[in-house]
Amino acid sequence: MDYKAVNYVEGFVENIVYRNEDNGYTVFDIRYKGESITCVGVISYINAGEFISANGEFVHHAVYDMQFSVKSYTFRTPDDENSIRRYLSSGAIKGIGEKMAERIVKNFGADTFRIMEEEPERLAEIKGISLTKAMDIASQLVDKRDLRKAMIFLQDYGINMNLANKIYSQYGQNIYTIIKQNPYRLADDIDGIGFKIADEIAVRVGICVDSDFRVKSGIFYCLQQASMQGHTYLPMNILEHHVKELLLIDLTEFDKYIMDLAMDKKIVVKTVGEQKNVYASMYYYMELSVAKMLIDLDVHIPEDEKYVNDRIARIEKDTKVSLDEIQKQAVRTAVENGLMVITGGPGTGKTTTINTIIRYFELEGCDIRLAAPTGRAAKRMTETCGYEAQTIHRLLEINGGSIGDSEKGKTSVGMHFERDESNPLETDVIIVDEMSMVDIQIMNALLKAVAIGTKLILVGDIDQLPSVGPGNVLKDIIKSECFPVVKLEKIFRQAAESEIVMNAHKINRGEPVVLNKYSKDFLFVKRDSADAIIAAMCTLIQKKLPAYVHADIYDIQILTPSRKSAVGVERLNKIMQDFLNPSAPSKMEKQVGDTIYREGDKVMQIKNNYQIEWEKRSRYGVPYESGTGIYNGDTGVIEEINTFSEQMVVKFEDDRYVKYEFAQLEELELAYAITIHKSQGSEYPAVIIPMFSGPRMLMNRNLLYTAVTRAKTCVCMVGVEAYFHQMAANESEQQRYSSLDTQIRQLYEVSQQE
């Protein structure tokens, strides 16, 4: 074939080779003039068996040779007997194979499609087709025609294929009315469509910028955005300011829109003193639910004091550990209460206290479960307690199957927990570590699965960074002053020998810290420019620290306050990638946006994926264990990139191998450097922290304290000493609007009166 001379092809679609559901990019084979032709292009909707006419040109692909690049196309409804037979036997209509297609066409000839659409009951004349099956075949044909029409309609409004499919699945033939009258409904009803996408559609439709639909959707969007900043509500005046900034219009009747949303039960408004606070309903009722369940668990169970003290003494003798009085008080409190909190900084004996509590309840014959918010935190807990710990998600038996959505009256595919109030955890004691990381949503899910009578012990450091998700759970529980709290403050002798521990407490108390490069575990290397800082970090991570802390290069972690700065995550990752894992002919690569992924790269999962499959392999590569779920913060190394199958294999900690489709790579990012926020709950043999200028809101004591306490053996800061002292002196934290403490106090007062 003279490929250069061909700018038009037509034929039946024999096979769909590949399809990107986001943008519609499709690779498919057709039969043209007796030859099989591979076509590529953005196609709105296509099935095997369909007849396509396409304009374009042949292009040469390095791997797949000649392909026809489609520039424009039309589909033709099969209108002759041979074409109809071919379409029906392609599998496009479920329930019709080759023999059935032959019988249908033999009976109805070229009139087949008209019969199927207008007189579908006549299909029952064919042997093997019941009236029910006839109606199903007709319904499929109409659905496919309607779906293609809907896809083309939605693409006219700039909606990609993946979202278009979601929209059509949600609304069916109602899409035309909804898109033209109120596209903001999409933001409420469909995952993946937020206010901004809906707003872009509204502009194309021609909806007024001050329409009620737009303003109310904008208000709800601002509350959703606030939840992503950790807030469960916003004061009315702050919310109004954000909405005006978003919509760029004057709002003279803001109270009216708030009232309408409250009547629709989308928001809750609460007045505290002279201030009105506005919640997305979900978070108001979540805080209320958590408050009630905590109070229900708070049961005091008096125990014989001598018996408890004798048990503690026996454990001290058996474990050769001596507890101080506060630690003993923590054990007694755990024994006598259904709910308690243990808090304290590094070196204050939290682990020893938890271990003693575990031994106590083991002697009592109790069933005990340990949990933490992240995989790394659970792994640390297992190592320090010698007792298996799980992530909270695993404890609650995460499931990615279909669930009913009672609020919207529909069933959706998504994450849910098998353990809840109807199927609670069957255990006597639950201990949850790293509670500062637990947000209101996870706390709500956890408490639903804890039966009254089960002891719940919450452990955490309130001076760590708060949770990424909404709420301020640990601080609010302590702040409520309604539950037993034991604060460990004494720094034990062994911990006192660590300058990491001692300086972390000094930072937290605002006391001066002496910086030098001669400390054995708290080093400061002075450099006065971003490039000099980076050069020093390269030397440390490759040549100095691995042997010093007896760890692999990839186990040493760079922690930085910001993403975008001269020493931010994005710049550091590119430089460290080139330095630690340079390009080579033997290493396959895949570029996604501005990021190049290379075999041998250190990467991090940046969102929870509850359904992705992993497997553990023997030394010969044979799988011997499998499971599902990779979570935000899990790190690994790229083992293989296959551009033919368009897949990438990552080996995560604990030797879990995960296969990613290229379309899933947005879930990963390079992890030579990560933000301090991302390091929560983790511990590394050594951490390197650049000390350079950055946004004031990030250069604070809370962030510095968290970074320093991530190191097990060595902290090495590189940069300008003045920036360290500025961070240590900056007590300002971003204010987080949450009200769990208020909800607890109010319900507690009511419970005391009953």
Side-chain angles (χ1 to χ4, degrees), residues 281-524:
S281 292
M282 167 182 170
Y283 293 118
Y284 174 79
Y285 289 111
M286 228 174 246
E287 283 192 336
L288 190 63
S289 169
V290 167
K292 183 179 185 309
M293 290 187 287
L294 286 170
I295 288 168
D296 287 345
L297 289 173
D298 182 33
V299 179
H300 184 68
I301 313 145
E303 293 283 347
D304 182 85
E305 188 175 342
K306 184 177 184 307
Y307 176 83
V308 175
N309 289 336
D310 287 347
R311 268 288 161 97
I312 293 172
R314 175 183 164 184
I315 294 167
E316 287 181 299
K317 183 179 178 182
D318 291 346
T319 58
K320 297 180 174 59
V321 168
S322 179
L323 303 183
D324 74 357
E325 188 50 42
I326 299 296
Q327 289 176 304
K328 291 177 183 177
Q329 181 57 43
V331 179
R332 285 193 290 266
T333 303
V335 171
E336 295 188 339
N337 291 276
L339 172 69
M340 78 162 296
V341 176
I342 300 173
T343 184
T348 57
K350 291 197 300 292
T351 299
T352 302
T353 306
I354 293 169
N355 286 341
T356 305
I357 290 171
I358 291 171
R359 303 294 176 268
Y360 188 101
F361 286 122
E362 275 186 320
L363 289 172
E364 294 294 300
C366 295
D367 187 36
I368 307 159
R369 305 289 290 275
L370 308 187
T374 66
R376 289 187 77 105
K379 185 179 177 183
R380 269 182 69 194
M381 198 178 187
T382 300
E383 290 168 352
T384 56
C385 296
Y387 206 93
E388 186 187 359
Q390 299 171 285
T391 63
I392 296 173
H393 292 86
R394 286 281 173 218
L395 179 73
L396 300 180
E397 297 174 20
I398 189 81
N399 189 313
S402 297
I403 54 170
D405 188 330
S406 57
E407 287 186 21
K408 294 176 183 172
K410 66 178 184 181
T411 298
S412 61
V413 175
M415 178 272 288
H416 70 284
F417 295 112
E418 295 292 342
R419 294 291 183 173
D420 56 19
E421 57 267 57
S422 62
N423 183 28
L425 292 161
E426 297 170 5
T427 187
D428 302 303
V429 181
I430 299 171
I431 303 175
V432 184
D433 199 8
E434 294 288 355
M435 272 298 301
S436 63
M437 297 177 67
V438 175
D439 63 32
I440 195 69
Q441 290 170 293
I442 292 299
M443 190 63 178
N444 188 50
L446 173 65
L447 292 175
K448 282 182 178 179
V450 180
I452 295 175
T454 300
K455 290 181 179 292
L456 180 62
I457 300 163
L458 309 176
V459 185
D461 181 351
I462 58 169
D463 296 312
Q464 297 280 2
L465 290 170
S467 59
V468 174
N472 217 355
V473 175
L474 180 63
K475 278 189 178 178
D476 280 355
I477 290 173
I478 295 171
K479 191 177 169 185
S480 73
E481 299 182 340
C482 292
F483 308 118
V485 176
V486 175
K487 185 168 185 179
L488 304 175
E489 295 180 296
K490 178 184 174 182
I491 299 173
F492 286 85
R493 183 181 59 79
Q494 188 175 354
E497 295 173 2
S498 164
E499 287 192 49
I500 295 174
V501 171
M502 297 308 294
N503 285 335
H505 284 279
K506 286 181 180 180
I507 290 167
N508 202 29
R509 294 192 295 260
E511 297 173 4
V513 175
V514 176
L515 300 176
N516 61 65
K517 62 179 180 181
Y518 303 109
S519 166
K520 65 176 182 178
D521 61 3
F522 197 88
L523 312 175
F524 197 98

Side-chain angles (χ1 to χ4, degrees), residues 101 125 132 167 180 212 242 296 316 431 666 685 687 733 737:
E125 298 171 15
T132 301
I167 293 168
K180 289 177 179 176
D212 284 6
H242 288 331
D296 287 345
E316 287 181 299
I431 303 175
E666 63 185 18
V687 299
E733 294 176 42
Y737 296 109

Side-chain angles (χ1 to χ4, degrees), residues 66 199 218 245 284 350 494 502 530 610 627 644 668 683 738:
M66 299 305 293
D199 207 32
E245 273 193 338
Y284 174 79
K350 291 197 300 292
Q494 188 175 354
M502 297 308 294
Y610 307 103
F644 182 79
L668 294 170
E683 186 177 71
S738 65

Side-chain angles (χ1 to χ4, degrees), residues 30-43:
I30 67 167
R31 177 65 56 176
Y32 175 65
K33 292 186 177 180
E35 288 191 43
S36 181
I37 303 292
T38 298
C39 300
V40 297
V42 176
I43 312 293

Side-chain angles (χ1 to χ4, degrees), residues 76-143:
R76 196 175 81 201
T77 302
D79 54 7
D80 61 82
E81 291 187 16
N82 186 48
S83 299
I84 294 170
R85 185 183 300 108
R86 190 161 189 161
Y87 177 79
L88 292 178
S89 62
S90 70
I93 304 293
K94 290 179 183 175
I96 299 181
E98 285 187 26
K99 291 182 180 179
M100 184 66 74
E102 183 69 40
R103 291 203 293 269
I104 292 171
V105 175
K106 184 177 180 180
N107 200 63
F108 299 120
D111 204 28
T112 296
F113 276 156
R114 188 197 65 78
I115 295 290
M116 292 172 80
E117 289 187 15
E118 298 177 11
E119 304 175 72
E121 67 279 356
R122 288 188 57 192
L123 288 172
E125 298 171 15
I126 308 298
K127 183 180 178 182
I129 298 181
S130 64
L131 184 58
T132 301
K133 187 173 181 178
M135 302 311 287
D136 179 59
I137 290 169
S139 176
Q140 286 186 60
L141 196 68
V142 172
D143 284 348

Side-chain angles (χ1 to χ4, degrees), residues 669-684:
E669 69 179 22
L670 296 176
Y672 298 100
I674 64 174
T675 62
I676 296 168
H677 277 91
K678 283 286 186 186
S679 72
Q680 282 180 275
S682 299
E683 186 177 71
Y684 308 96

